[in-house]
Amino acid sequence: MADGIRPASVVVIGAGQGGHQTAASLRERGYEERITLIGEEDTLPYERPPLSKAYLKGEADETHLWLRPEAYYARQAIDRVTGTVVAIDRAARSVRLADGSSYGYGHLVLATGARPRMPQLPGAGLRGVHTLRTVRDAAALRDALAAATAGAPGGAARAVVVGAGFIGLEFAAVARESGCEVTVVEALDRPMARVVSARTAAHFTGLHRRRGNRLIYGQGVTAFHDDGHGRVAAVGTADGRRLPADLVLVGIGVVPRTELAEAAGLAVSGGIVVDAGLLTGDPRISAIGDCAIFPLSGPGTQPRPQRGSDSQPASESEAEARSRTRMRLESVQNAVGHAKLVAERLTGAPRPYDELPWFWSDQFGATVQIAGTGDGHDAEVVLAGSPDADAFSVLLFRQEALIAVESVNRPGDHMAARRLLGDGLPLSRAEAARAGFSLTEHLRRSADGGVSAPAGAMAAG
């Protein structure tokens, strides 16, 4: 489809944050043709971050999660369809659902998201072993948590969390606050190892331990043991321990849902492969959000160091490496940004995707906010004392360039970091290390004016 030519209709597969935003942004930009939003869950599109926070605590019900009320979709003439797409017919430009119905498209947007990764271990299917991705998952986990704490004979209920990423640690905090004895088992040597520095990870290790959670690092899980009646009773670890469990949450990441794309002959490599404009190899199909792997570019997005190979010599420049590197991100910010870009392209305003990634997590009332990606950093500067303090920021540098900032209970630093990284404003490690250095003051000086805070600073998790 040539740029500037609006498709006669748009079908979006996936009614999560990205799918909803695609439809909403198209209408906001004046697109008047048919939009069909197909989702598998029999509920209105909703926010996922609160599932492991306010919803799990019982502080919000499902209606508080909705991105828009039902009347919005009718008013905007967005056709919501509940069903499972089983095939894409690229030649006929249509999609077929499990119930036999089909929908034609002028342009197709794949917002299929991801599913929780589940280890292929004995006992993985036992009752009481949970994952957390959907509102249904969260409701089941919330009910299980309530039942376990209410029915624990002679003491606290025992929860075992497999995986110390955002989801695992957020649940661990909620479970502890609910009165559970919590053990977290992580195969790597620290929590959140793929997203935060060792210093920030150490702070959250200390936080959880001070609140009574037990954290075991460097151990894999080997089995889920039952109680003889089909329910989990213990979790086995690689060093031979059996950890008693009344309920288990497995939070070891997700797998992008790429099966439809692959079956349709689209390129898949750790995600649905798209170009900088989020188009697949088929000019009538885009992919966005958790399922898409896209070129790594823009501020605050640094490639991992590469070893030499025939296809990518170790001596190539960082710019050359960056042009070859792709990434897949799992965040609200990324899904929304992708959706808006696709809507812009479909309404005649194409551009490459180059937005700064940012993320956040709440645990025991402490908030970590991350701007940029710190992969491959070779130096860091800690602001506001050591990570033993309640509030601090870790500035991560690579080859003397600032590539990411992790802020714990310092939202002003996070806002400033997003502006600095997003606008490409320079900051040297030596300057950051000076006594009394302030990110917000540096931003004011660099921007030669006032600071305007980025919108939606707490919208991704």
Side-chain angles (χ1 to χ4, degrees), residues 300-315:
T301 53
Q302 297 294 322
R304 294 178 184 271
Q306 300 289 324
R307 297 177 181 175
S309 68
D310 293 338
S311 60
Q312 185 169 309
S315 60

Side-chain angles (χ1 to χ4, degrees), residues 112-116 133 254-257 290-291 328 330:
T112 49
R115 64 179 179 275
R133 179 71 179 178
V254 298
V255 179
R257 299 183 63 180
D290 294 5
C291 69
R328 191 179 63 80
E330 299 157 15

Side-chain angles (χ1 to χ4, degrees), residues 15 39-46 62-63 66 80 82 135-136:
E40 293 183 339
E41 296 180 72
D42 188 17
T43 183
L44 291 170
Y46 60 87
E62 187 172 335
T63 62
W66 293 344
R80 290 182 50 248
T82 300
V135 68
R136 185 175 180 178

